[in-house]
Amino acid sequence: MGMFRDRIAAIKPLFFLLCLLPLAHLVWDTLHDALGTDPVAQLEHRSGDWALRLLLATLAITPLRRVTGWHKAIRFRRMLGLFAFFYATVHLTIYAAIDLGGFWSQLLGEIAKRPYITLGFSAWLLLIPLAITSTQGMMRRLGRRWQRLHRLVYIAALLGVLHFLWLVKADHREPVIYLGVLLGLMLWRVPWRTLGRTLASGKSGQLPVRT
Amino acid sequence: MRIPFRDNLPASAITPEPLYRRRRDVLKLLGLGAVALGSGCSPEATPQAAAPAAPESIPGKSLTIARKLDTTMGETGTRYKDATHYNNFYEFGTGKSDPAANSGGFHPQPWNVEIAGHAEVTGHFTLEDILKPHPLEERIYRLRCVEAWSMVIPWVGFPLGDLLKRFKPTSQAKYVAFTTVQRPAEMPGLNYPVLNWPYREGLRMDEAMHPLTLLVVGMYGHALPNQNGAPLRLVVPWKYGFKGIKSIVKIEFTESQPTTTWNESAPDEYGFFSNVNPAVDHPRWSQKTERRIAGDGFNLFGNRIATKPFNGYADQVASLYAGMDMRKNF
């Protein structure tokens, strides 16, 4: 492996570039007038899609580890989460800086007044502390609190999916797929066996949750 | 069956007096009367500003146009490619590019239209019978979608009112209801109940008879492409685009307000009238501004413009709604 600690460390830079591909594709299409009739809407939809996909991918890491036994997958989680935040930021920037162009005074009003924008903006806000505390140093410093704080990602993902669901006019098939994936990943986290045992033995109290 | 059509009468004898006057007012207000209604043979007399600068090759049968009118007073036009590849026609799929991609197997010929309801003349008519007596006009209109984007499109058609009069609607005819064709084999979007098919729309009688309300058979000088509602569609420029029902197979004169598809789907979001109104937001998004899709080539910035009441046609149509609360009757 030479300069890398192990194989994962060697793959990581490639994985980083892979996560940048959607952005490169967007930039390429923008420069080549390949975004179609309504380029601003395209930029918004595609950056938003990738924010959601990467957020769901982040939430899929734990189930993936448990199901496959490939525990090293955890080492990709932070990068996935940070890229989800990155694409959400690109998405918000395109909306605020390009789409609203010339009508910036509407921005705060729109965030407050339009439920789907309120949800999307809240999701982005929730991701900020998670991005800031994503470093090793922060993990050490926050200890147990780190895990509690990072459970915010579940709420952010739910808000993000609802943001998509709410803006659609009539055909809900695509956002419902995202919602289905999210629900699947959340249901997997419910400790069904422990839950069953606890209920059977009549004990209550805090249940362990797989994070 | 053929429709009796008397073409030896002066126009004023056929057209009801108030309507006739209003039509003249429309043209006067637009300041285009004599100019735009001239023969169009002198190039400087025909407004050209809205036509795309770079000529695009346009498929479809070329249409003979008797006269031209640019109601936008020279706003930059939308490219043919954009107006025909960015469509909401859910019968061919809900994506914007689905109609162009999925409408190749649709057959707009032969075509029949059923005329029904409160009129002296009703029955099934061929498209040729429907179109025959009407000279075609080009009208450049703004198209404002309820999704807050807009285009500027040169439609080819004739006033709907001119057609409706031929069937002699009775005094019970208070509304006109329209229905889109329903052919699951040719329209793949019909296989998914995203809306309650068939698509239906409607107008109040005075709206239907208004001279700006156009029955359209073409765009950009050529026959309508399938994805834009071939062979016959409605265009009501002061209303949100979904009121412009496509591929019409039935026109019915009704006494009560007809059920319309989007209103049925989400009554709190899409009203029967659906006049373009920046003061009444869609419950989920703002209608104060719109993203204008027009001009040559690609432009990321500066596309957002303020939406005008009645899409800029307030002088011509606001009187239709005098005394009505447009917040209730959105």
Side-chain angles (χ1 to χ4, degrees), chain A residues 99 114 166 168-169 171, chain B residues 94 147 281 284 291 304:
Chain A
D99 191 356
R114 313 290 162 206
W166 211 333
V168 168
K169 223 166 91 190
D171 188 351
Chain B
T94 56
E147 297 164 3
D281 284 335
R284 288 181 284 154
R291 208 160 48 234
R304 193 165 284 279

Side-chain angles (χ1 to χ4, degrees), chain A residues 70-84:
Chain A
W70 183 47
H71 293 285
K72 285 178 177 170
I74 190 76
R75 291 176 60 193
F76 293 100
R77 191 169 69 175
R78 171 170 39 203
M79 199 189 287
L80 281 171
L82 284 171
F83 266 111

Side-chain angles (χ1 to χ4, degrees), chain A residues 29-31 33-41 43-44 95 97-101 103 106 110 113-117 165-173, chain B residues 79 81-82 85-86 88 90 94 145-147 149 151 192 194-195 262 270 281-286 288-289 291 293 297-301 303-306:
Chain A
D29 282 353
T30 305
L31 296 176
D33 188 7
L35 291 171
T37 295
D38 197 348
V40 180
L43 291 174
E44 283 170 349
Y95 168 69
I98 301 179
D99 191 356
L100 277 184
F103 293 87
Q106 282 186 11
E110 290 293 291
K113 211 170 155 189
R114 313 290 162 206
Y116 83 91
I117 300 181
L165 197 65
W166 211 333
L167 67 86
V168 168
K169 223 166 91 190
D171 188 351
H172 294 101
R173 280 173 288 185
Chain B
R79 287 184 294 187
K81 188 182 87 184
D82 292 332
H85 289 77
Y86 194 79
N88 282 326
Y90 282 12
T94 56
C145 180
V146 75
E147 297 164 3
W149 51 267
M151 294 183 175
Y192 183 74
V194 60
L195 292 169
W262 275 106
Y270 311 101
D281 284 335
H282 185 281
R284 288 181 284 154
W285 56 81
S286 168
K288 289 183 190 67
T289 61
R291 208 160 48 234
I293 296 164
F298 160 87
N299 183 19
L300 272 191
F301 298 93
N303 298 318
R304 193 165 284 279
I305 57 174

Side-chain angles (χ1 to χ4, degrees), chain A residues 55-57 59-61 63 180-190:
Chain A
L55 205 51
L56 293 179
L59 293 182
I61 291 290
V181 171
L182 176 64
L183 287 180
L185 293 172
M186 294 312 289
L187 285 175
W188 183 89
R189 285 173 158 80
V190 176

Side-chain angles (χ1 to χ4, degrees), chain A residues 7-19:
Chain A
R7 207 187 304 167
I8 298 286
I11 293 171
K12 267 186 154 184
L14 288 175
F15 194 70
F16 185 90
L17 292 176
L18 191 69
C19 289

